[in-house]
Amino acid sequence: IINCTPLGTYPNIETRPEIPYQEITEKHLLYDLTYNPEITTFLRLGKEQGATIKNGLQMLALQAEKSWEIWGA
């Protein structure tokens, strides 16, 4: 399940997508493009249900590297 909204970003860290978190299991992967805070409410609630979680920090870094590659330094 991918959150690509600004919900949960600082300073409104308690906001989250309205999904049935009680239905999430260890078979789910929750990916939040947000990286500030590192663990959003969306990710925390998924982790509490046993899901694998990942934030958007790596995506940000990979996009930056590709930008340098495309546009040069």
Side-chain angles (χ1 to χ4, degrees):
I1 302 169
I2 302 170
N3 177 30
C4 53
T5 74
L7 293 173
T9 54
Y10 181 82
N12 301 314
I13 61 172
E14 293 303 318
T15 59
R16 65 186 195 274
E18 293 299 324
I19 61 172
Y21 291 93
Q22 71 278 6
E23 301 295 327
I24 294 172
T25 70
E26 68 281 347
K27 295 180 182 180
H28 289 92
L29 166 64
L30 272 63
Y31 192 158
D32 199 335
L33 273 64
T34 298
Y35 49 86
N36 183 17
E38 184 177 344
I39 304 285
T40 60
T41 301
F42 168 74
L43 293 178
R44 181 180 53 78
L45 292 173
K47 186 174 183 176
E48 288 173 2
Q49 293 294 114
T52 300
I53 62 169
K54 184 162 180 65
N55 72 19
L57 189 57
Q58 182 183 21
M59 180 184 285
L60 175 69
L62 292 171
Q63 287 174 333
E65 288 176 19
K66 193 64 173 176
S67 292
W68 281 113
E69 192 179 302
I70 293 169
W71 302 106

